[in-house]
Amino acid sequence: MKFYITTPIYYVNGAPHIGHAYTTVAADVLARWKRLEGHEVFFLTGTDEHGQKVEKAAAAAGLDPQSFTDRVAAQFREMTAWMGASNDDFIRTTEPRHKRACAALWERLSERGEIYLGEYEGWYAVRDEAFYAESELLTGTDGARFAPTGAPVEWVGEPSFFFRLSAWQDRLLAFYDAHPDFIQPTSRRNEVVSFVSAGLTDLSISRTSFRWGVPVPGHPEHVMYVWLDALTNYITAAGYPEEAAPRWQFWPANLHLVGKDIIRFHAVYWPAFLMAAGLAPPRRVFANGWWTVEGEKMSKSLGNVIDPHDLVSRYGLDPVRYFLLREIPFGNDGSISHRAIITRMNVELANDLGNLAQRSLSLLARHCAAALPARSPPTEDDEALAAAAAALPSRVAGALDRVAFSEALEEVWKVIRAANAYIDHQAPWALRRTDPPRMAAVLRVLADALRFIATVLQPFMPASMARMLDQLGVPVDARDLAALAAPLPPGTALPAPEAVFPRFVEDAA
Ligand code: MSP
């Protein structure tokens, strides 16, 4: 089956930070998991390069928008690689293929009577690239008006094309009703349903007061509203408007991962644009929460913005990926701190998993001639551990289908803790003298359990789990879920074990 997953495309007004890396890693884990399950996956990420916010950032950097976006987009591409993302494409909204798709979608909406020319008068927040109704605004102590997000707003009055969003209210509500899982988590769904139920006004979808955008077909004095342009990226990459292209088979996307701040664009405007164009809306939109830093909002002015490169150079990629998805349930907000990362690394990775593997593998290396022992008739304890390990693929799949990364990891850690209890209780190091065949049997049970554990953890920590599977003698072509059905033959050679997760020792400095 085909599976299409996306991250938001990131604004190139500034360098990538940990909030961006977060969604990229989350989408990567799901993409890798779906591949392990045997699906044909298309995983898309990229950059959102038009609009006033980017134009202003370019001006502030003293560069023309194209050179500026080329430079910052390259940083995002690097971040994608640094975070170990296995994306199949990286889209930039300044690419010709994207401008073509935007123009085609516009023309289709226009032909279907969904667009009309008018005059926009109202509030706009450049920081959010969003229009706000008077009733949504807040007033500061100095009398200044600002958006509910805290962004400054300015009054805009200019000729503009409008999309007939108001006409889509009932059809959107019917769509949410028919697809109860379309917006997740439920709290976000409720938020969207009440926003739409309160009534929709037509949406301004073009601007004439600046130039940095995709020109409106036939009206080059207008550039498209950056959100119409940006959302279209998801179909551009699937080959739109060539609906005969093989990539188009991936549409509708199975899952758009987005931050909680941009749910309205994805769950209201996007399905409305698509339905209005006669295209299928995406199957699911899942909103993640926001990271704060040691409990404080991340901001340039506070100087506490976390650069993902720094974290990765300090702790290593896999521990950072693990931390981001383990620390908080996806969907909730959470606080990132060095202390919390180090604790998870030392307790869960080094102690629980690292030691389990190291203890089992070094006994196998030393006392089983570095070869996998045969399976023996199991005891009750052996069976209990084997059954818990064998249940992992379906348990992890269940959690990941709900985009519940931390639950998926907790399922794996339950088995890791059970395996640690098993090794302590069986004490294979003592059996070496009293009952060597039983020692071999115990080590085989552990090696089999570790194979399940390392296989299902590959999407989270690809490089570390590849090393662990190497050490367990698992051939590279037998690392997907289907391969778990066939036990490794006895006598499989086991390479010399090496610790996969050393403890993190803080500098004395
Ligand atoms: N360009 C738009 C998205 C267009 S998608 C068609 C945009 N870009 S963004 O760069 O501002 O944000 C991208 C994503 O990063 C959003 O999902 C946003 O929620 C997320 N995050 C930004 N700061 C974050 C944190 N501090 N924590 C977690 N995610 C954060 O919006």
Side-chain angles (χ1 to χ4, degrees):
M1 281 236 300
K2 291 193 160 40
F3 187 82
Y4 181 12
I5 181 165
T6 66
T7 71
I9 50 171
Y10 306 110
Y11 284 130
V12 290
N13 61 313
H17 60 62
I18 197 67
H20 306 126
Y22 182 44
T23 333
T24 295
V25 168
D28 184 56
V29 169
L30 294 176
R32 288 176 187 266
W33 177 260
K34 287 290 167 188
R35 291 189 199 108
L36 273 194
E37 284 188 330
H39 297 276
E40 193 188 337
V41 172
F42 180 42
F43 166 22
L44 177 71
T45 187
T47 42
D48 186 354
E49 306 191 5
H50 291 128
Q52 251 176 316
K53 169 157 150 160
V54 171
E55 191 183 64
K56 283 189 172 174
L63 290 172
D64 66 279
Q66 189 63 56
S67 327
F68 178 73
T69 55
D70 285 347
R71 191 169 79 182
V72 185
Q75 293 176 18
F76 274 91
R77 213 187 269 272
E78 272 165 36
M79 178 277 280
T80 306
W82 262 79
M83 297 313 295
S86 60
N87 52 302
D88 300 289
D89 197 350
F90 186 101
I91 188 160
R92 298 185 54 192
T93 54
T94 46
E95 289 173 64
R97 62 170 169 162
H98 180 66
K99 294 181 189 163
R100 228 174 12 244
C102 288
L105 181 65
W106 184 284
E107 274 163 353
R108 188 133 155 193
L109 290 170
S110 181
E111 279 157 24
R112 295 168 71 104
E114 300 286 348
I115 290 177
Y116 63 91
L117 185 60
E119 181 87 17
Y120 180 76
E121 275 227 312
W123 296 101
Y124 192 76
V126 174
R127 200 170 88 190
D128 301 342
E129 295 284 19
F131 300 97
Y132 289 102
E134 179 81 33
S135 57
E136 289 179 285
L137 298 187
L138 305 169
T139 308
T141 42
D142 57 355
R145 311 300 307 274
F146 55 91
T149 56
V153 289
E154 58 192 48
W155 183 258
V156 173
E158 62 190 11
S160 169
F161 282 96
F162 286 83
F163 169 70
R164 296 189 194 280
L165 184 63
S166 58
W168 286 90
Q169 178 177 358
D170 293 344
R171 282 172 285 184
L172 281 169
L173 291 170
F175 174 71
Y176 304 146
D177 233 30
H179 301 91
D181 295 336
F182 175 62
I183 309 163
Q184 290 176 327
T186 315
S187 54
R188 299 291 162 209
R189 174 188 158 82
N190 296 340
E191 186 184 303
V192 168
V193 170
S194 61
F195 172 74
V196 175
S197 306
L200 295 172
T201 50
D202 289 350
L203 182 70
S204 161
I205 51 164
S206 76
R207 305 287 310 272
T208 40
S209 48
F210 67 95
R211 302 299 326 136
W212 186 237
V214 181
V216 168
H219 299 272
E221 69 287 9
H222 289 255
V223 294
M224 291 184 199
Y225 172 39
V226 65
W227 270 101
L228 172 59
D229 158 354
L231 290 161
T232 303
N233 92 87
Y234 302 129
I235 55 173
T236 304
Y240 188 79
E242 270 109 73
E243 294 183 30
R247 275 246 180 118
W248 188 250
Q249 307 268 315
F250 282 100
W251 192 259
N254 297 75
L255 181 59
H256 291 317
L257 288 186
V258 304
K260 62 177 184 178
D261 52 320
I262 56 175
I263 190 83
R264 189 185 290 185
F265 301 97
H266 285 84
V268 182
Y269 302 164
W270 185 223
F273 293 151
L274 288 165
M275 291 194 284
L279 297 170
R283 295 190 197 282
R284 193 144 67 119
V285 177
F286 195 105
N288 66 259
W290 272 45
W291 286 100
T292 53
V293 180
E294 317 264 351
E296 296 233 45
K297 192 172 163 68
M298 203 168 21
S299 79
K300 279 191 200 146
S301 50
L302 289 173
N304 64 351
V305 176
I306 297 194
D307 176 346
H309 287 68
D310 291 347
L311 280 192
V312 169
S313 352
R314 192 172 159 114
Y315 302 112
L317 174 58
D318 285 349
V320 171
R321 289 172 59 107
Y322 174 78
F323 173 83
L324 290 173
L325 296 178
R326 179 68 189 89
E327 183 69 1
I328 47 163
F330 203 68
N332 293 11
D333 293 336
S335 171
I336 192 165
S337 72
H338 291 286
R339 173 73 21 234
I341 298 178
I342 293 169
T343 303
R344 293 223 180 254
M345 277 180 83
N346 287 347
V347 176
E348 290 160 18
L349 296 181
N351 252 9
D352 295 346
L353 175 55
N355 274 348
L356 172 68
Q358 190 62 14
R359 287 200 287 176
S360 312
L361 288 163
S362 59
L363 288 170
L364 283 161
R366 263 183 281 145
H367 307 304
C368 299
L372 194 65
R375 290 177 150 191
S376 310
T379 65
E380 234 172 75
D381 284 356
D382 299 352
E383 251 170 20
L385 181 60
L392 273 179
S394 69
R395 291 193 183 268
V396 172
L400 290 184
D401 281 342
R402 287 178 285 111
V403 199
F405 300 101
S406 57
E407 279 175 45
L409 289 169
E410 184 49 33
E411 290 292 345
V412 184
W413 255 258
K414 275 189 210 153
V415 177
I416 293 173
R417 286 190 289 262
N420 273 314
Y422 173 88
I423 196 172
D424 288 343
H425 183 68
Q426 303 293 329
W429 43 86
L431 290 169
R432 182 166 75 88
R433 282 190 210 91
T434 56
D435 188 352
R438 177 63 193 153
M439 174 201 68
V442 165
L443 293 175
R444 172 71 204 224
V445 170
L446 285 162
D448 287 348
L450 276 164
R451 180 182 175 202
F452 273 88
I453 291 167
T455 299
V456 301
L457 285 177
Q458 289 175 101
F460 293 88
M461 300 186 283
S464 314
M465 292 306 104
R467 287 174 58 206
M468 195 171 281
L469 289 165
D470 288 345
Q471 297 184 29
L472 288 163
V474 182
V476 174
D477 60 4
R479 294 183 180 183
D480 61 4
L481 300 184
L484 286 169
L488 293 185
T492 299
L494 303 175
E498 262 176 60
V500 172
F501 295 114
R503 280 183 72 78
F504 184 83
V505 183
E506 278 174 90
D507 311 343

